[in-house]
Amino acid sequence: MRKHSSMWKSETAAFYFFISPWIIGFLAFTALPIFSSFYLSFTRYNISRPPVGIGLGNYAELLGDTLFSTSLYNTVYYAVFFVPLGIVLAFGLALLLNQKVAGLAVYRTVFYLPSIVPVVANAILWLWLLNPQWGLINMGLRFFGIDGPRWLGSMEWAKPAIILMSLWTVGPMVIIYLAGLQGVPQQLYEAAEVDGASKLRSFFSITLPMMTPTIFFTLITGLIGAFQIFTQAYVMTGGGPVNSTLFYVLYIFRNAFNYLRMGYASSMAWILFIIILVLTLVQFRISKRWVFYG
Amino acid sequence: MGKHGILGKIGPHIVLLLLSAVFITPLLWMLSTALKTNRQIFVFPPEIIPNPVIWENFVDIFFYAPFHIYFQNTVFIVVLNVIGATFSSAMVAYGFARLRAPGREILFILVLSTMMLPYMVWMIPLYVVFVRLGWINTFYPLIVPAFFGNPLFIFLLRQFLLGIPTELEDAAKIDGCSYIGIFTRIMLPLIKPALTTVALFTFMNTWNDFLGPILYLQTPNNYTLAVGLQVFLTQHTADWALLMAASSLVIAPVIVVFFFAQKQFIKGIVLTGIKI
């Protein structure tokens, strides 16, 4: 009995020894910053002088800040278009790849490759592709007699341009869907075929329901990611023209590191967290109606 | 049947071929532009294969910016991140997967929940902390945090470790092997493929990281490739040939690594569902 309890103790000690890097890191690089960020959101703070408490001042100021609402609108616009379009595109590509085509590995590589391109290099490449005069996209359109838009130089087309370039990097989602499709039990299709179901019918009655957990997963992670879009706008447009690509995180960045309004930026970060949390919870709620766990 | 069957067989192939062409074209176009002079760039219809092929851009960029220094800095940061993140995450994952202790479940939920938080929430106070420590314009803020385990990798490695049968451990325990011995001599060798995946993801993430370096590195001597490239863009806004050459140079190592380790990548994405 004694022996047993001392062994148990040593296993506990070993457990805490092994996870100690995470505990220290969690306290120093996550927990402490989170608490200070929460505190800072109720203060005015510019690093060089100690924070001054202003209660809900920052949150009240946000309500009247038109750039705050603009950045929120731009971000929602991006998420609303990019996430569903990305899911449809990735799902379509995965379905095609799942047709047991020859050269699957080559196609998979081609679709995946853009997503490993470092984001700054990617942004520069798309600045060139989207160049109104000599960019490949508008030259292609000109070939068909279409006068392409000014893309990143135009208020209407800057956001669609960034959505377009984001769609180019759906590769990982394709891989996730392909794995999901390959996990659908083959017997289901065979049974459906015996019952005389058409290909289309099989798709809607088997493939789609079986894939809903995967789609749900990518929807959640996709939205969380989309709300934090930053680098593309920072490198390509700096938020312009006329703030049409001023995304939420870019505006946080500006406040925090350009204007040194650390308190104000912290309150924005917390609102972002609440938005993401609510969105995720709502989706989990709704998911009960459409996600199928067989 | 016949006609429909053939179309059904070839149809997906044709669509896939067209879509692959769309997906690969931007990268080929980048390379093509990098091998041209400005005079060759501004023509319509465009030259697909440059005639003549101009290699000078790849030499010229080094006159304009010290890309070799950016490269050294990046490699230094990447190597330390790979070592730190892989080893510390494996350690923590072993604890969560194989050792029983009070508080384990709740701590693991805490690990998972930190993945949900937007990075901006802790970015700002962390910056303040690093300013106070005098770490601005040093590599410390970009290296030190890697040594404290990454939640996603802890999760991934734990999944692997859970699948290892207990018999090996039991035998080792009877032989008087310590937990550290079990971890280093039994567990680490068994999860080598998973460790490779973690190392690869860390390599990619660190190589591509932009927000960290742009915040913490201030003098060109300390720039990583990502920041150096962005600064290069601001100085050569319309020099497309040079910009494409510089971008190709930054992308090349990533693509080389990807081709050597494709399988591990795909496996890692499927297992964690992450997107890098």
Side-chain angles (χ1 to χ4, degrees), chain B:
Chain B
M1 172 74 207
K3 204 175 176 189
H4 185 80
I6 285 177
L7 204 69
K9 274 246 154 60
I10 304 182
H13 247 299
I14 293 174
V15 180
L16 275 173
L17 272 175
L18 286 174
L19 285 168
S20 325
V22 171
F23 267 75
I24 201 72
T25 302
L27 287 172
L28 297 178
W29 188 240
M30 174 171 67
L31 201 59
S32 162
T33 308
L35 299 172
K36 287 176 183 170
T37 62
N38 273 338
R39 189 166 303 179
Q40 289 166 282
I41 287 172
F42 301 118
V43 289
F44 182 84
E47 264 175 31
I48 310 271
I49 296 167
N51 178 31
V53 172
I54 306 292
W55 295 99
E56 276 81 345
N57 295 318
F58 284 96
V59 181
D60 288 350
I61 51 173
F62 288 94
F63 289 118
Y64 292 111
F67 277 98
H68 55 288
I69 291 178
Y70 304 160
F71 182 82
Q72 278 169 19
N73 294 338
T74 310
V75 169
F76 180 74
I77 294 171
V78 164
V79 168
L80 286 176
N81 267 270
V82 167
I83 295 169
T86 311
F87 191 75
S88 63
S89 302
M91 236 179 111
V92 177
Y94 169 67
F96 278 116
R98 309 301 291 200
L99 300 171
R100 269 159 306 162
R104 184 176 75 166
E105 312 309 321
I106 188 111
L107 284 171
F108 190 65
I109 290 171
L110 213 54
V111 172
L112 295 181
S113 57
T114 54
M115 289 197 279
M116 270 272 300
L117 275 168
Y119 56 83
M120 269 295 159
V121 168
W122 65 72
M123 198 91 209
I124 295 163
L126 206 53
Y127 178 80
V128 176
V129 170
F130 290 143
V131 170
R132 292 267 177 273
L133 288 172
W135 283 7
I136 301 301
N137 206 21
T138 70
F139 294 153
Y140 293 120
L142 306 174
I143 291 170
V144 174
F147 283 80
F148 296 93
N150 171 309
L152 189 75
F153 300 153
I154 294 172
F155 174 73
L156 176 101
L157 293 171
R158 177 179 167 271
Q159 294 300 102
F160 268 89
L161 285 160
L162 286 175
I164 293 172
T166 48
E167 285 83 14
L168 287 169
E169 249 167 316
D170 295 340
K173 268 185 213 160
I174 291 165
D175 291 347
C177 195
S178 68
Y179 287 112
I180 294 180
I182 293 173
F183 172 63
T184 52
R185 269 179 261 148
I186 299 177
M187 295 300 168
L188 284 186
L190 282 174
I191 57 166
K192 249 188 209 154
L195 292 173
T196 317
T197 305
V198 167
L200 282 168
F201 279 149
T202 311
F203 164 77
M204 287 291 184
N205 284 342
T206 317
W207 192 273
N208 298 350
D209 185 25
F210 178 67
L211 188 60
I214 196 84
L215 271 185
Y216 296 116
L217 306 178
Q218 294 175 334
T219 50
N221 271 344
N222 283 338
Y223 285 170
T224 61
L225 282 169
V227 177
L229 189 59
Q230 192 259 336
V231 171
F232 190 73
L233 168 71
T234 61
Q235 294 160 346
H236 301 267
T237 6
D239 276 333
W240 294 112
L242 283 182
L243 283 168
M244 291 303 114
S247 300
S248 317
L249 219 60
V250 173
I251 295 175
V254 183
I255 290 189
V256 169
V257 169
F258 173 70
F259 272 104
F260 277 106
Q262 241 191 103
K263 278 214 178 97
Q264 254 86 14
F265 265 99
I266 308 277
K267 210 184 263 168
I269 293 159
V270 171
L271 277 169
T272 56
I274 61 161
K275 299 185 260 177
I276 50 165

Side-chain angles (χ1 to χ4, degrees), chain A residues 102-132:
Chain A
L104 169 73
V106 178
Y107 287 126
R108 200 174 54 185
T109 306
V110 168
F111 293 135
Y112 189 76
L113 214 49
S115 66
I116 63 163
V117 172
V119 58
V120 177
N122 192 356
I124 294 176
L125 169 58
W126 278 82
L127 272 177
W128 174 221
L129 292 171
L130 291 164
N131 185 287

